[in-house]
Amino acid sequence: MITDTLNDRLLRYGLMTRGGFHPVPGDQAPEGTATLVLIGNAGPAMWQAFSQHMPDGPHPLDTWTQQTLEPIAEELGARMVFPFNGPPYYPFQQWALRADDVAASPIGPLIHPVFGQWHAYRGAFLFAEKLDIPPPARTASPCLSCLDQPCLNTCPVSAFSEQGYEVPACRSHIANAEGLDCLDQGCLARRACPVGRDYLYEPAQATFHMRHFLQS
């Protein structure tokens, strides 16, 4: 099975397959794609590999991701697309909902029943052949049984609500001394979620992502 082959090659980089599917026209997959397999990470494993070989430049994680995945794709006769290359920007979140056991959380990021919100999608392998892939697991979103929803009432500047995400308020907060905890440890609202505690990002990893968000 192609996912087993990919996982064997991805393990050393802290990456993994995050599900796959056979696209139909509404999925907006590139033309000629018969099988799409998402690649991503969960927890600190990818950071531990990436931080030891961090490239120079303004977008080191994107560069490292391409340098890591493109040789594997070439070896297996696949094409690659990435969420950070565009336009066009491909609908990775939509693809994740098709391929993986995830659901939207109250604060936006997709939540996984095991990884919580401590995961991401880094790329997609596109195969011209219709390959055998396992069907995604389907479990109820953990948010449905979370009565307190601490993610919605923990943010110091109330950037998250049922109306959406106030990006300017969040960015302004972490740009000042009052937001140092979020900047150095990761989003406080995200950390308030009780799901996936074993996959929390390491402080250096959280800081890397938060500083990238601040500078973007």
Side-chain angles (χ1 to χ4, degrees), residues 194-216:
V195 183
R197 305 298 299 176
D198 291 340
Y199 292 87
L200 285 172
Y201 288 170
E202 294 180 352
Q205 181 181 8
T207 300
F208 174 87
H209 288 296
M210 293 299 285
R211 290 189 181 278
H212 180 75
F213 164 69
L214 183 60
Q215 295 163 7
S216 65

Side-chain angles (χ1 to χ4, degrees), residues 9-212:
R9 287 162 171 75
L10 295 170
L11 180 63
R12 62 181 291 196
Y13 304 108
L15 298 168
M16 67 180 83
T17 59
R18 299 294 309 275
F21 59 96
H22 301 121
V24 297
D27 291 320
Q28 302 177 54
E31 186 175 354
T33 304
T35 305
L36 186 152
V37 180
L38 289 175
I39 306 301
N41 63 283
M46 184 204 69
W47 172 259
Q48 293 164 1
F50 161 67
S51 61
Q52 295 178 29
H53 304 282
M54 192 180 298
D56 295 328
H59 304 290
L61 182 55
D62 296 348
T63 300
W64 178 86
T65 299
Q66 287 189 266
Q67 291 175 346
T68 299
L69 293 179
E70 286 179 341
I72 300 174
E74 184 176 358
E75 175 190 352
L76 298 177
R79 294 177 292 155
M80 288 287 323
V81 292
F82 300 95
F84 46 79
N85 282 351
Y89 292 99
Y90 291 103
F92 270 77
Q93 299 297 297
Q94 176 182 321
W95 291 349
L97 291 168
R98 284 269 277 125
D100 204 354
D101 189 9
V102 291
S105 71
I107 62 174
L110 297 178
I111 189 166
H112 186 277
V114 176
F115 307 139
Q117 298 179 59
W118 306 103
H119 65 98
Y121 301 93
R122 301 294 173 193
F125 282 77
L126 312 177
F127 296 91
E129 304 84 11
K130 193 169 185 178
L131 303 174
D132 187 23
I133 50 175
R138 293 297 181 201
T139 58
S141 168
C143 300
L144 296 177
S145 57
C146 182
L147 300 180
D148 294 335
Q149 293 193 319
C151 60
L152 288 177
N153 52 43
T154 305
C155 175
V157 292
S158 302
F160 300 102
S161 70
E162 294 179 354
Q163 283 68 50
Y165 173 35
E166 291 290 335
V167 176
C170 175
R171 183 172 285 144
S172 176
H173 177 65
I174 64 174
N176 293 289
E178 294 81 3
L180 192 61
D181 181 46
C182 286
L183 184 65
D184 287 348
Q185 302 293 327
C187 171
L188 190 61
R190 196 173 175 186
R191 281 186 281 144
C193 178
V195 183
R197 305 298 299 176
D198 291 340
Y199 292 87
L200 285 172
Y201 288 170
E202 294 180 352
Q205 181 181 8
T207 300
F208 174 87
H209 288 296
M210 293 299 285
R211 290 189 181 278
H212 180 75

